[in-house]
Amino acid sequence: MNEKKEQLKKELKEAISQITEMHSLNELKVEYLGKKGKITELSSNLKEMSLDAKKEFGKILNELKEEATSLVEEKRKEIEERLLNKKLESEKIDITLPSKKVRRGSKHPMTRMIEQFEDLFVSMGYTVYEGPEIESDENCFQKLNLPKGHPARDAQDTFYLENEYENFLLRTQTSTAQVRAMEENHEKGPIRIICPGKVYRRDEDATHSHQFMQVEGLVIDENVSMADLKGTLELFCKTILGEKTEVRFRPSFFPFTEPSVEVDVTCFKCGGKGCSLCKQTGWIEVLGAGMVHPNVLTMCGYDPKKYQGFAFGTGIDRFAMFEYGIPDIRTIYGNDIRFLKQFDRKEEQNEVK
Ligand code: DAH
């Protein structure tokens, strides 16, 4: 039997050495180790053997099976490795090839400005609130204490929708966020939000565009006073415009606040001496603000005896015009690539050339 074993092994080894493909290896495996394979068939001899002979024969047969199996497996590994190497070779990437140039845009100056505002207010515990640009007359005016026919609407007479939507318009002020935030707060608890966004009016000259951007702020809580309003807005102006900026509050009128103020800062350009930008006054108006009117609180579901609040609104464009020295507001919205390219930041340009 030993002789037979060595002979079969030799035969198998030789056959395997000729093999290069996986399918031939599989065929060879069947030929030797399959149900009717040359090795398997040897076990048919067992029947006629004595017990001792069986033992001896069985042992040798098992050895043969094991050895044959490992020969086949060795070859299998060899073929698999060769196939993998071949695949890796064919998929090799030439990393020295120059990449395709991707032209990447940069942040719009208004986006940069809004991010500055958001960073500041978020650091003071406010959340950023977004409302829709198409708004109902109710949210844009009525619930802000501007009933139909109110003369203060004239300044914002603007883009209404038609037919069955005639009660809707492109919002003229982000103050609509006040109404929405109060109505959506079902617990009628404290609120601290800012709402940056686009607004629309029928203006069009160097400092007015039919579309511009505002940020609205609203704080509602118990024991909120005019002192909170002043402190917050002073901090806001000094953070955005610089520590040296002086801030003054003038009494004013807005239907949704009582009392109302307008906030001026020392001129960005001349620092308060007087120049063409500030019309020789040394001051530039930047914000409208006030204590939320009790009527507004009531219409939006708040009890004015328990809660007070302050609100403010400002045009983001004006800050951007100052920050980036933009003389005409309309360029901000013109999407002229030559204008926008000026705001590419060095570090961003370096990332992708
Ligand atoms: N919505 C006003 C405007 O567009 C700005 C404003 C004034 C907002 C006073 C306020 C405020 O929240 O209290 O002119």
Side-chain angles (χ1 to χ4, degrees):
M1 174 58 194
N2 259 332
E3 251 170 55
K4 178 100 182 144
K5 174 186 160 193
E6 290 310 317
Q7 191 206 326
L8 267 174
K9 226 170 102 177
K10 200 174 150 212
E11 203 186 299
L12 178 63
K13 261 190 185 165
E14 238 178 66
I16 281 187
S17 70
Q18 309 289 323
I19 279 179
T20 52
E21 303 298 328
M22 196 61 97
H23 67 90
S24 342
L25 181 67
N26 287 336
E27 278 163 19
L28 192 72
K29 191 179 173 190
V30 174
E31 191 185 327
Y32 282 81
L33 292 158
K35 262 189 195 155
K36 289 186 181 157
K38 285 181 185 167
I39 295 176
T40 324
E41 273 193 335
L42 289 176
S43 49
S44 60
N45 297 329
L46 283 166
K47 280 181 234 154
E48 296 120 39
M49 288 183 187
S50 69
L51 201 60
D52 279 351
K54 257 187 200 169
K55 264 191 190 166
E56 178 65 16
F57 188 88
K59 194 174 150 235
I60 297 174
L61 188 60
N62 276 341
E63 278 170 13
L64 179 59
K65 274 187 192 162
E66 269 168 35
E67 284 165 16
T69 311
S70 67
L71 281 175
V72 171
E73 286 314 306
E74 235 170 66
K75 188 72 185 185
R76 184 186 302 285
K77 271 196 198 126
E78 191 190 307
I79 297 176
E80 276 172 358
E81 204 172 295
R82 204 191 61 230
L83 288 176
L84 181 68
N85 283 339
K86 206 170 144 194
K87 199 164 168 223
L88 288 176
E89 188 66 28
S90 68
E91 285 177 1
K92 211 158 131 191
I93 302 165
D94 182 357
I95 53 166
T96 62
L97 264 181
S99 63
K100 262 197 192 157
K101 289 199 170 55
V102 180
R103 278 194 53 180
R104 206 179 68 166
S106 63
K107 280 185 190 166
H108 193 281
M110 292 300 282
T111 307
R112 291 189 195 286
M113 208 66 234
I114 291 171
E115 283 176 356
Q116 274 193 48
F117 287 16
E118 288 179 350
D119 283 352
L120 172 63
F121 281 102
V122 166
S123 78
M124 295 198 282
Y126 289 63
T127 49
V128 178
Y129 182 92
E130 276 185 66
E133 287 172 29
I134 294 178
E135 198 39 289
S136 65
D137 185 281
E138 249 190 334
N139 286 349
C140 197
F141 297 127
Q142 293 171 43
K143 286 188 173 155
L144 287 167
N145 216 17
L146 277 136
K148 286 208 162 136
H150 193 292
R153 282 189 178 212
D154 290 353
Q156 300 187 18
D157 200 10
T158 175
F159 306 111
Y160 281 84
L161 275 65
E162 288 186 333
N163 305 327
E164 70 262 44
Y165 299 112
E166 63 180 15
N167 213 25
F168 288 84
L169 72 160
L170 297 182
R171 69 178 171 196
T172 62
Q173 49 184 355
T174 43
S175 303
T176 52
Q178 292 187 33
V179 177
R180 287 181 169 269
M182 278 191 265
E183 290 198 326
E184 281 168 19
N185 187 340
H186 298 295
E187 286 146 31
K188 299 298 170 211
I191 294 177
R192 224 185 275 190
I193 55 145
I194 57 158
C195 171
K198 291 193 197 108
V199 297
Y200 303 83
R201 295 186 196 172
R202 56 180 174 111
D203 295 327
E204 186 89 0
D205 62 35
T207 52
H208 295 91
S209 152
H210 68 279
Q211 174 202 300
F212 57 106
M213 290 189 110
Q214 289 187 331
V215 176
E216 187 77 13
L218 174 72
V219 173
I220 301 276
D221 212 331
E222 296 176 49
N223 302 321
V224 175
S225 75
M226 194 79 182
D228 299 307
L229 179 157
K230 281 188 78 177
T232 306
L233 296 184
E234 238 172 58
L235 180 74
F236 165 69
C237 292
K238 284 179 187 278
T239 308
I240 301 289
L241 299 171
E243 211 29 62
K244 284 197 193 118
T245 309
E246 280 176 50
V247 183
R248 79 176 181 193
F249 294 80
R250 271 183 298 111
S252 184
F253 169 77
F254 296 103
F256 34 89
T257 44
E258 181 61 38
S260 304
V261 289
E262 267 170 319
V263 185
D264 300 335
V265 292
T266 37
C267 177
F268 325 129
K269 203 170 161 192
C270 64
K273 288 188 203 87
C275 68
S276 59
L277 184 69
C278 59
K279 302 196 179 84
Q280 311 306 328
T281 63
W283 295 95
I284 290 185
E285 182 215 314
V286 287
L287 284 145
M291 301 305 292
V292 180
H293 198 293
N295 286 355
V296 176
L297 286 167
T298 311
M299 279 189 278
C300 298
Y302 273 79
D303 176 3
K305 290 208 187 75
K306 188 168 175 210
Y307 282 100
Q308 308 83 46
F310 67 84
F312 54 90
T314 185
I316 309 174
D317 316 69
R318 195 167 304 175
F319 284 92
M321 287 168 88
F322 156 68
E323 176 100 1
Y324 299 111
I326 302 167
D328 190 329
I329 189 173
R330 289 168 295 195
T331 48
I332 294 180
Y333 299 107
N335 259 348
D336 186 330
I337 202 88
R338 291 166 303 179
F339 167 76
L340 296 171
K341 264 185 103 62
Q342 298 173 53
F343 300 97
D344 281 2
R345 288 265 171 99
K346 282 277 175 320
E347 68 270 25
E348 287 171 7
Q349 282 177 359
N350 286 341
E351 279 170 31
V352 181
K353 281 215 179 104

